[in-house]
Amino acid sequence: MSQNDSVHTMKARLWTKPYIMILIANLAVYFSFHMLLPTLPLYISQLKVTPDIIGLVMGSFTITALAARPFIGRILDTKDRKKVYLAGLLIAFAAIYGYSIFPLVLFVLICRLIHGLGWGITTTAIGTILSDLVPQVRLAEGLGYAGVVNVVSMAISPMVGLYVAGHWGFQNLFYISAFLSMLGIVLGTLIPYPMRIAPQGQRLINPQKNVSGFMATAFEKRAYLPAIIAIFTSMAYGSLMTCLTLYAAELNINNIGIFFSVYAVTSIMTRPFIGRLSDQKGYSIAIIPGIIFFSLSLLLLFLAQNIYFFIAAAVLYGLGNCALQPTLQAMAVKKVPQERRGAANSTYYSGIDIGIAIGMVLSGFLAKAAGYSIMYLLFIIPMFLSLIIYILAVKTILANRSQNR
């Protein structure tokens, strides 16, 4: 990056009123979501089911999220993005409240599917709106700060969720989570964000109503590489969200909420810096170390004997995840026209959903067959594959560029 580009990057205004307000609204939304991450597996386990069933129920969340994203991506590129965002929040609110009604595995599964639909709509809309609001020359930085909201909620909400479930019961946990989701809806309506609709001629790349036409408009090929990397790296994330609290309980570790807090503090301290570094030096400076740190965190979980292993793993996980997530998303949307950002975000988040779904379901079966420790060791394999794919893809891109000169 030249000196003039660096000056332009510093002068581009990031902290606008709409940007700040969506961060506040999302804090309530993510707090609601993260309260349930460590507690839902415990709630389902009380219904007398095995780890593989817990993994299936938790993983079902991503089925509807994944199914919704291609359609939502097209809608976001042609309709009012703010209304789509609010609709997703309403669906998620209904599902969260539904958890409190009947303590039956089948009913929890149904609510989990509905929750996934709402979350798929909401997160795709969030990513698209943020990519509109953030200056393009500060995209990784702006998405990094937005990710800080995510990790701030993770620093507090899992421990709050575990405390509420332990002292006030799961029923009150679901009520509080639903209230926070509704608060996010109220705050979201106040965001001053204009209606964004693509010009009529840009709504469809292929006007024929066939599979290729749908694929061309629902997915963005320039986001395929970060989406593929997200599939492999999100598999490990799915295993963490499904089995971490159960693994800690097996080792007689009661204060596992500290894992999420340490992860969050690490992310808050490093995410903005990594975002700026990625904007200035390129994606590889964040993605390659991010994959390595994430892999090392899984290795520590395999070796875990006490809480200190979990704390060290949380630090490495925080470093890895805060390097990967905003950088991969920035890669997915940065060179995409505004009218295709919905499709680009849909493509990227679909990769995350696929990875999480595989990770959640596979972790349940692996934990049942080999135990939690071996399970985390095995999840290093997809991390290694993601590193190989990225390095080979970058080499191919650089080779093509040199040939075209």
Side-chain angles (χ1 to χ4, degrees):
M1 178 179 288
S2 67
Q3 184 175 357
N4 290 336
D5 290 337
S6 298
V7 173
H8 180 58
T9 299
M10 295 302 295
K11 289 184 177 180
R13 189 182 177 197
L14 176 62
W15 297 97
T16 61
K17 181 179 179 181
Y19 178 73
I20 294 172
M21 290 192 67
I22 197 170
L23 295 188
I24 296 172
N26 286 348
L27 180 60
V29 173
Y30 280 113
F31 203 103
S32 168
F33 178 73
H34 286 138
M35 287 182 71
L36 302 180
L37 284 182
T39 51
L40 261 181
L42 296 174
Y43 176 66
I44 299 170
S45 69
Q46 289 190 354
L47 304 180
K48 308 301 181 184
V49 295
T50 54
D52 54 331
I53 300 300
I54 296 174
L56 287 170
V57 175
M58 293 296 293
S60 66
F61 174 92
T62 60
I63 295 174
T64 45
L66 178 61
R69 292 202 193 278
F71 301 97
I72 297 306
R74 296 215 300 177
I75 293 172
L76 286 166
D77 286 336
T78 57
K79 302 297 181 183
D80 188 338
R81 291 174 176 173
K82 181 176 174 179
K83 289 182 179 179
V84 176
Y85 171 60
L86 295 174
L89 288 178
L90 281 170
I91 295 172
F93 164 79
I96 294 170
Y97 184 78
Y99 290 133
S100 67
I101 298 177
F102 294 115
L104 301 172
V105 173
L106 180 60
F107 192 78
V108 174
L109 174 63
I110 294 171
C111 290
R112 192 74 179 147
L113 290 168
I114 297 172
H115 196 179
L117 174 63
W119 193 247
I121 296 171
T122 300
T123 51
T124 306
I126 290 171
T128 306
I129 292 172
L130 283 169
S131 61
D132 283 338
L133 298 177
V134 174
Q136 294 304 291
V137 292
R138 301 181 69 178
L139 190 57
E141 180 186 359
L143 294 174
Y145 280 117
V148 168
V149 170
N150 187 332
V151 296
V152 164
S153 72
M154 188 173 279
I156 306 170
S157 54
M159 288 195 298
V160 172
L162 289 167
Y163 178 86
V164 171
H167 291 79
W168 300 345
F170 287 103
Q171 192 88 352
N172 287 315
L173 170 72
F174 298 138
Y175 288 154
I176 294 172
S177 179
F179 169 78
L180 289 170
S181 182
M182 179 56 67
L183 179 61
I185 295 171
V186 174
L187 294 172
T189 60
L190 303 176
I191 298 171
Y193 179 77
M195 182 175 180
R196 302 293 180 102
I197 299 180
Q200 182 68 32
Q202 297 175 337
R203 290 192 180 186
L204 291 175
I205 294 175
N206 185 344
Q208 298 179 4
K209 295 181 179 180
N210 54 29
V211 175
S212 61
F214 172 79
M215 293 293 290
T217 55
F219 296 99
E220 173 53 55
K221 65 181 181 180
R222 283 167 286 195
Y224 284 168
L225 177 58
I228 291 171
I229 302 302
I231 290 175
F232 287 99
T233 55
S234 296
M235 288 172 62
Y237 175 80
S239 70
L240 285 173
M241 295 305 100
T242 303
C243 297
L244 188 69
T245 53
L246 300 173
Y247 182 32
E250 182 179 85
L251 295 175
N252 296 317
I253 298 172
N254 298 319
N255 54 336
I256 192 57
I258 195 173
F259 176 93
F260 301 98
S261 298
V262 172
Y263 154 74
V265 171
T266 304
S267 297
I268 292 168
M269 292 174 62
T270 58
R271 188 176 286 246
F273 165 75
I274 291 176
R276 288 194 298 270
L277 191 63
S278 176
D279 284 329
Q280 296 173 7
K281 302 295 184 180
Y283 302 126
S284 296
I285 200 168
I287 291 176
I288 293 176
I291 294 173
I292 294 172
F293 285 135
F294 207 156
S295 301
L296 291 174
S297 73
L298 294 171
L299 179 62
L300 282 177
L301 290 176
F302 162 68
L303 299 171
Q305 299 293 323
N306 53 51
I307 189 62
Y308 300 108
F309 283 86
F310 283 87
I311 292 173
V315 172
L316 291 170
Y317 172 49
L319 290 171
N321 200 46
C322 77
L324 286 171
Q325 292 296 332
T327 307
L328 289 174
Q329 188 177 3
M331 181 191 295
V333 302
K334 190 165 188 176
K335 294 184 179 180
V336 175
Q338 186 178 28
E339 66 273 7
R340 292 290 296 160
R341 287 177 185 164
N345 276 290
S346 171
T347 303
Y348 169 67
Y349 281 114
S350 292
I352 293 178
D353 288 337
I354 292 171
I356 291 176
I358 295 172
M360 285 183 167
V361 174
L362 188 59
S363 64
F365 285 99
L366 289 176
K368 183 179 180 180
Y372 294 114
S373 178
I374 298 297
M375 177 204 71
Y376 282 117
L377 179 65
L378 293 175
F379 271 107
I380 296 177
I381 296 174
M383 300 299 296
F384 177 75
L385 291 175
S386 70
L387 181 61
I388 296 300
I389 291 170
Y390 179 77
I391 292 173
L392 291 177
V394 170
K395 285 185 176 180
T396 301
I397 293 171
L398 293 176
N400 291 335
R401 287 178 181 174
S402 63
Q403 290 177 359
N404 293 330
R405 287 177 181 175

